[in-house]
Amino acid sequence: MNFAAQLFYSSYLSERLERLFSPRPAIKDSEENDPFWERWEIPTISVKICKTHSVCNGTSGRRPTLIEPERLKDFGEEELLNGDVRFHEVKAVAPPEIKLMDPPKIRRVSEFRIVPRPPVQYLRFEDISAAAFTIQSVIQKTPCTYSRLSKQYGMEIYLKKEHLHYTCSVKERGALYLLTSLTQEQQRKGVIVATDCNFSMAVAHHAVEMKIPVFAIMPSSCSSPRLRTYRDYGAMVISYGGTGHDSRNHARHLAKENGYLYLEEDESEAYLAGLGTVGMEIFEQVPKVDAVIVPAAGQYGLLASTAAAVKHLNSQILVIGIEPEGFPLLLQSLKTDGPVKNMQSYPNKKLYGDFTERSLGANTFHLAKKLIDKVIPVSEEDSLVAMLRFQEVEHSTVDPVGAMGLAAILAGQLPELRGKKVVVVVSSANMEPDLVRQCVDRALVLDDRVSKFSLQLGEWPGDMAKLLDVLSREDVRLLDVCHRRHSDKSDVFKAKVECVVETRDKTQSAQLRKTLNERYPSICWLDR
């Protein structure tokens, strides 16, 4: 930069500084009263800010300076002007603080009383409906037909025939939905079951259908036909131990060592939701139903889940649970207001299976306590007679557990249902043929249809023929006869005859007894 330019720049800068820090000019009255102006006062400095225009130094209309009031702070607290040090103090006067009034205090209802939250439901109807949608393509909708026994017992009886499933058990519903809820990794590794029961059979069948490896650990007490059934389903059968307890322990060990998933009948949400689909079908198939009777021997999940579905659809429908008289686990639990873990009762395992080793879960108990209207125990004899009625009237073979619902009606324990529309769930029909035959024979005796008696006859010719002639005139079917002589000296020329006969009903049996008692005073009727 040359000398002339430096001189011009120096004079220009000095003129600007003088203009910036010059004393405030007089303000006209018209400007003081002007409402569009405000003064920003600093000692020896007057700054005007226009509300509608840009910031200006001095009077309105002048050219704005390079140093704006907002940038005065860049100079610091001290400024050197004409060789003197001047201190400038800027005070920002804020408007008075306006305090807001506190809102009026309103006491809520929650301050006076505690509103309890609704408890979380363990089994929701949404879970049951989701299970029904999932298994509908695999599980058939079983029929619910009108029974021929209705007129005899004065009520409309409908039989929900769950024993018509592929494995002859209602537990197929829960087992299938339980398998579908497993992760892909669990399905890939496989599942393992133990003991011979309806649940194990259902898992074995559907696991193979879903391409899931399944292993069945069976005790040595399991019969050969039953083992062959598991193999026909496609399961890998392993015999281990003498009891179901041994096989279960071995199954848990194998599952832990090899990464299998051990499945047993429990109260898991998926299993109960699958069983609850029975209640949805009943409500759909039988309109305006008044009561539903569900067996509960070893399968309390069926009772609780069916009640959950039925009560959701219509809370006025009665749900009645039936359990064996020799093992009233649910009835005792309701009396003690808590699930009973150990019961000192041992019913016939051949008839009811090994369900006594299972306990009633807490969740299933609370569902049953909340939803079940009545629990009735039935005797072993009534269950066998109900089995006989199924064979003779319905032409179907069921096991004692499946017949318990009908047994309560036959025994006259539900007189309040006369004239009502009642659905009886027939849950299962898994029984070996020889055991079915024994049950039928026993039921005929209990129903006063088969009688056994003994009497003494002389050895005179024609005495035995006369006895057979009496039985023939009474239209009685002779099933068995045993004729043998006594070895006692006092019974010389005497013979003892034992006969087993079958009658049509109790009326004919009573007439036969009257006739034989009059003709043969020595007759002895053997107790059943």
Side-chain angles (χ1 to χ4, degrees):
M1 183 181 295
N2 55 20
F3 177 77
Q6 293 181 358
L7 182 61
F8 174 77
Y9 181 78
S10 176
S11 62
Y12 177 79
L13 181 60
S14 61
E15 181 185 359
R16 290 298 182 185
L17 291 175
E18 182 181 1
R19 186 176 297 175
L20 175 62
F21 297 102
S22 61
R24 183 184 64 179
I27 300 176
K28 298 180 181 180
D29 296 336
S30 61
E31 292 179 351
E32 290 182 353
N33 299 326
D34 188 1
F36 297 94
W37 294 91
E38 292 181 357
R39 291 195 301 274
W40 184 358
E41 296 186 2
I42 303 176
T44 70
I45 298 176
S46 178
V47 181
K48 291 185 178 181
I49 303 174
C50 179
K51 292 185 177 180
T52 60
H53 306 285
S54 60
V55 178
C56 303
N57 184 17
T59 59
S60 175
R62 283 191 176 187
R63 183 180 179 181
T65 59
L66 296 177
I67 302 177
E68 300 176 357
E70 289 82 2
R71 298 187 62 185
L72 290 176
K73 58 186 178 183
D74 297 337
F75 290 90
E77 297 180 358
E78 299 180 358
E79 293 182 0
L80 182 61
L81 298 175
N82 298 327
D84 297 331
V85 177
R86 295 181 181 182
F87 295 91
H88 303 280
E89 181 177 339
V90 180
K91 294 183 179 180
V93 181
E97 182 180 359
I98 301 175
K99 295 184 178 181
L100 299 177
M101 297 179 61
D102 295 332
K105 187 175 181 181
I106 301 176
R107 300 188 69 180
R108 299 180 179 178
V109 180
S110 58
E111 296 180 9
F112 294 94
R113 60 183 178 89
I114 299 176
V115 180
R117 295 182 178 180
V120 179
Q121 296 182 356
Y122 176 72
L123 181 63
R124 303 173 302 170
F125 182 77
E126 291 79 2
D127 302 327
I128 300 175
S129 59
F133 178 79
T134 302
I135 68 177
Q136 63 179 349
S137 60
V138 181
I139 296 295
Q140 62 175 339
K141 182 181 292 186
T142 56
C144 190
T145 58
Y146 183 78
S147 175
R148 301 180 184 91
L149 295 170
S150 300
K151 295 181 179 180
Q152 182 177 353
Y153 295 98
M155 61 184 72
E156 296 183 49
I157 302 176
Y158 290 84
L159 301 177
K160 179 61 174 171
K161 299 180 179 180
E162 290 296 308
H163 66 290
L164 298 181
H165 287 293
Y166 187 82
T167 61
C168 303
S169 171
V170 67
K171 298 185 181 181
E172 277 195 33
R173 298 175 179 268
L176 176 59
Y177 191 58
L178 179 62
L179 291 173
T180 57
S181 64
L182 301 180
T183 62
Q184 293 184 355
E185 182 65 19
Q186 291 173 337
Q187 294 182 4
R188 184 186 63 82
K189 289 184 177 180
V191 297
I192 187 170
V193 294
T195 69
D196 177 29
C197 62
N198 294 333
F199 176 77
S200 298
M201 295 183 68
V203 171
H205 167 62
H206 286 290
V208 173
E209 293 295 321
M210 297 174 61
K211 310 300 181 184
I212 300 176
V214 56
F215 302 87
I217 312 301
M218 294 296 152
S220 59
S221 58
C222 185
S223 62
S224 297
R226 300 285 284 189
L227 295 178
R228 186 168 56 250
T229 301
Y230 283 94
R231 293 190 178 97
D232 293 340
Y233 289 159
M236 175 65 69
V237 180
I238 302 173
S239 296
Y240 184 89
T243 62
H245 182 72
D246 298 334
S247 61
R248 281 191 292 271
N249 289 338
H250 188 60
R252 294 188 183 98
H253 174 73
L254 292 178
K256 183 178 180 181
E257 293 293 329
N258 300 279
Y260 304 134
L261 178 64
Y262 174 63
L263 294 180
E264 61 180 347
E265 190 173 7
D266 55 8
E267 56 174 8
S268 63
E269 182 180 348
Y271 181 67
L272 294 183
L275 293 177
T277 57
V278 177
M280 294 183 61
E281 292 186 7
I282 290 175
F283 189 81
E284 177 185 353
Q285 293 172 323
V286 184
K288 298 181 180 179
V289 61
D290 296 309
V292 178
I293 302 176
V294 186
Q299 48 191 12
Y300 297 97
L302 173 63
L303 174 61
S305 57
T306 302
V310 171
K311 289 291 186 179
H312 177 85
L313 296 171
N314 186 355
S315 60
Q316 302 301 320
I317 299 177
L318 298 178
V319 179
I320 302 173
I322 311 297
E323 59 182 352
E325 193 177 53
F327 194 75
L329 180 61
L330 179 57
L331 195 61
Q332 293 297 328
S333 299
L334 293 175
K335 289 181 179 179
T336 58
D337 198 20
V340 177
K341 298 301 181 181
N342 297 316
M343 280 197 64
Q344 302 299 324
S345 180
Y346 304 96
N348 194 332
K349 291 185 177 182
K350 285 188 175 182
L351 297 181
Y352 300 110
D354 205 15
F355 66 88
T356 55
E357 297 184 6
R358 305 177 193 141
S359 60
L360 179 63
N363 293 319
T364 307
F365 168 75
H366 290 301
L367 282 174
K369 178 183 177 181
K370 179 181 178 181
L371 302 174
I372 305 303
D373 297 288
K374 192 175 184 180
V375 179
I376 298 176
V378 295
S379 63
E380 175 185 319
E381 291 78 8
D382 293 332
S383 297
L384 293 177
V385 173
M387 284 182 60
L388 181 62
R389 294 290 185 272
F390 269 104
Q391 284 199 346
E392 292 181 333
V393 181
E394 298 297 331
H395 305 290
S396 59
T397 301
V398 301
D399 56 21
V401 176
M404 283 198 307
L406 184 61
I409 297 177
L410 303 185
Q413 299 189 32
L414 295 171
E416 67 273 15
L417 297 183
R418 294 187 64 87
K420 302 292 184 63
K421 186 178 292 188
V422 183
V423 174
V424 178
V425 178
V426 185
S427 59
S428 57
N430 271 323
M431 236 180 164
E432 298 181 11
D434 58 339
L435 186 58
V436 172
R437 179 181 53 81
Q438 297 178 25
C439 290
V440 171
D441 292 342
R442 177 63 176 163
L444 289 171
V445 175
L446 295 172
D447 199 33
D448 290 331
R449 302 264 297 280
V450 173
S451 303
K452 184 177 181 180
F453 61 89
S454 64
L455 50 83
Q456 291 183 354
L457 293 178
E459 290 189 348
W460 299 102
D463 286 349
M464 187 65 184
K466 293 178 181 179
L467 174 62
L468 297 179
D469 184 62
V470 172
L471 297 178
S472 177
R473 289 198 305 268
E474 294 294 331
D475 195 16
V476 174
R477 180 185 176 190
L478 181 63
L479 300 179
D480 190 18
V481 60
C482 178
H483 180 275
R484 61 174 179 268
R485 295 176 179 175
H486 285 279
S487 59
D488 298 338
K489 294 181 180 180
S490 59
D491 294 330
V492 180
F493 307 115
K494 294 287 184 179
K496 184 177 180 180
V497 179
E498 293 181 355
C499 296
V500 179
V501 296
E502 181 181 358
T503 56
R504 292 187 301 272
D505 49 28
K506 294 182 179 180
T507 303
Q508 187 183 20
S509 178
Q511 180 62 34
L512 175 65
R513 289 187 176 228
K514 179 181 178 181
T515 302
L516 293 180
N517 287 338
E518 294 175 353
R519 189 174 184 88
Y520 300 100
S522 62
I523 192 173
C524 178
W525 296 92
L526 302 180
D527 295 335
R528 52 180 189 177

